[in-house]
Amino acid sequence: MAPHREGSDASVEAMVAQVEKHPISSILIIIAMQTEALPVVNKFQLIENPHSSCPKGVPWIHYHGAYKDIIINLVWPGKDLTFGVDSVGTISASLVTYASIQALQPDLIINAGTAGGFKEKGAAIGDVFLVSHVAFHDRRIPIPVFDLYGVGLRQTYSTPNLLKALNLKTGKLSTGDSLDMSPHDEASIAANDATVKDMEGAAVAYVAELLKVPAIFVKAVTDIVDGEKPTAEEFLQNLAAVTATLEEVVTQVIDFISGKCLPEL
């Protein structure tokens, strides 16, 4: 481990403070699936970057463009090179977030995507949540302090004005690498007090915090985890309609952000 460098930390804090004084000019959107990404790409007329700074050989796709006074970069992990399916999950999300922050230096990250919701917590199909906290539900380390590290509870960047202006629902997000929910996962999700669950959010939050970039999380409900229908069936049934709703809300979020500084969110 490298030695602690107070000067380096001070310079990072100074950079963050400087960003907070000026209108947001660069947004990085992290989206896990092509079906989720394309409506946003089309809405903002983003174009694929043929000279992407993504590492050589990775399937990641980088779109970019300008909207009003904001540079928008959208990165999704692409299709797995072996199986040809969307590269969902925490590993791809972590890698993409880290590399994208390093290359693009955004003022703000938006992790947008679909999620399962819990009707017991008030979620319904098509609801869109602005997430207040994120945590993992499948990193079980039953050793003191390691258990807290495993859960990795984090508060997202606070945006009270955005929440009020768009009248969005809010709740906690729990992240794991499985679409279904084992009994162990169910207990952990309940302990996390989660309203929605996904496969990327807490990983994006971890990297964003590590590199000191504020991040917000917009999650649209495709399936009811504690409902009667099988999760995979309900997810696929609602995916197209819910991603259209997600695009509408992401557009509203970016419209609200335009011209504002971070503290004004």
Side-chain angles (χ1 to χ4, degrees), residues 28 30 60 75 77 90-103 106 109 111 200-201 203-209 211 213 215:
L28 169 62
I30 302 288
W60 309 343
V75 183
T90 60
I91 296 175
S92 288
S94 297
L95 291 169
V96 165
T97 303
Y98 178 82
S100 298
I101 291 174
Q102 294 289 81
I109 293 172
N111 176 220
E200 291 85 23
V204 173
Y206 170 77
V207 177
E209 182 183 89
L211 299 183
V213 181

Side-chain angles (χ1 to χ4, degrees), residues 227-243:
E228 298 177 357
K229 292 185 178 180
T231 295
E233 176 185 325
E234 193 170 31
F235 169 75
L236 293 172
Q237 177 183 337
N238 294 312
L239 183 60
V242 172
T243 52

Side-chain angles (χ1 to χ4, degrees), residues 40-52:
V40 179
V41 169
N42 294 333
K43 171 65 181 181
F44 293 103
Q45 299 181 335
L46 305 179
I47 59 174
E48 186 172 343
N49 183 1
H51 307 294
S52 172

Side-chain angles (χ1 to χ4, degrees), residues 99-160:
S100 298
I101 291 174
Q102 294 289 81
L104 303 170
Q105 299 292 304
D107 296 331
L108 177 70
I109 293 172
I110 301 174
N111 176 220
T114 55
F118 292 86
K119 64 179 181 180
E120 182 182 10
K121 303 289 288 184
I125 300 295
D127 281 351
V128 181
F129 286 83
L130 189 61
V131 173
S132 63
H133 297 76
V134 297
F136 294 97
H137 58 252
D138 60 356
R139 303 202 314 176
R140 292 176 289 275
I141 313 173
I143 302 172
V145 185
F146 279 96
D147 55 352
L148 300 177
Y149 163 77
V151 172
L153 176 63
R154 287 174 173 82
Q155 184 174 355
T156 64
Y157 188 78
S158 180
T159 56

